[in-house]
Amino acid sequence: MSEENFYKDFFIKYGILTAFFAVFFFLTIYSVVISRKSWQTNLRTLVGTVLEEHEPNIWNLENSVKINNSFAMNAACYEARNRKTGEIYKAVILRVQTFYGPLPAVFLISSDYDVEFVGISSFHGRFNEHIKVFNNSLRIEYWKKRIVDILRSTKG
């Protein structure tokens, strides 16, 4: 095999490998971008369900709020309007480590940054009431304090 054929064969194989990785990365990025809207819609539905179970016919979820923080991968924030008072709160869903594993917890934050733990979106009925005891957990207290720092970096 001549040196010229060796380099030609090497660059053909190298080009095929590079094209494979380029297509793989393009498809991965494309799937993330396409699924972002459905991800936000499903999270909004979860937050709405928890708020409705907590206080029926009180909350109206509105716009999503962009979180400019490194915790944005683990949290989503929405404006929640209280139908009785008209006051706008922020409803945050984020992953909290619990005795049962990592679960999506929902918090309500007032305009003066009073944080209330609303519930866990995976639990309903009697089990949801049982988990309310978890409200006094150190982990929930940690996230109540941390959410204030996270939301202060948001726009809107």
Side-chain angles (χ1 to χ4, degrees):
M1 178 181 242
S2 71
E3 189 174 326
E4 183 178 305
N5 286 339
F6 174 77
Y7 286 121
K8 183 178 178 182
D9 189 44
F10 170 77
F11 284 120
I12 289 173
K13 289 179 182 177
Y14 183 73
I16 291 171
L17 182 66
T18 303
F20 172 77
F21 281 119
V23 168
F24 174 76
F25 286 121
F26 173 76
L27 290 176
T28 302
I29 291 169
Y30 180 73
S31 66
V32 168
V33 169
I34 292 299
S35 66
R36 186 175 297 151
K37 183 164 178 67
S38 67
W39 178 260
Q40 285 292 328
T41 303
N42 290 336
L43 285 177
R44 181 186 179 120
T45 303
L46 287 175
V47 171
T49 302
V50 172
L51 291 176
E52 190 66 25
E53 286 179 359
H54 179 64
E55 295 176 313
N57 298 320
I58 298 292
W59 300 103
N60 186 24
L61 282 180
E62 296 180 353
N63 304 326
S64 70
V65 178
K66 183 174 169 69
I67 300 174
N68 297 323
N69 195 305
S70 60
F71 284 96
M73 295 299 292
N74 294 321
C77 182
Y78 301 93
E79 290 179 347
R81 182 178 300 275
N82 187 317
R83 291 179 184 161
K84 289 184 178 178
T85 64
E87 187 177 353
I88 295 180
Y89 289 73
K90 290 183 180 170
V92 175
I93 184 169
L94 59 88
R95 187 178 354 167
V96 173
Q97 184 63 34
T98 68
F99 179 74
Y100 307 102
L103 295 171
V106 177
F107 297 87
L108 268 177
I109 301 92
S110 67
S111 58
D112 44 339
Y113 293 103
D114 290 329
V115 181
E116 176 189 358
F117 172 64
V118 178
I120 304 284
S121 73
S122 304
F123 299 146
H124 306 286
R126 236 178 356 159
F127 202 65
N128 193 26
E129 293 305 316
H130 173 70
I131 204 69
K132 293 290 182 167
V133 176
F134 183 67
N135 187 8
N136 297 325
S137 166
L138 292 175
R139 289 185 182 112
I140 293 296
E141 290 303 316
Y142 168 79
W143 283 109
K144 281 182 174 181
K145 294 174 186 170
R146 190 70 179 115
I147 284 175
V148 172
D149 296 333
I150 293 170
L151 290 182
R152 287 200 173 137
S153 65
T154 63
K155 302 283 187 210

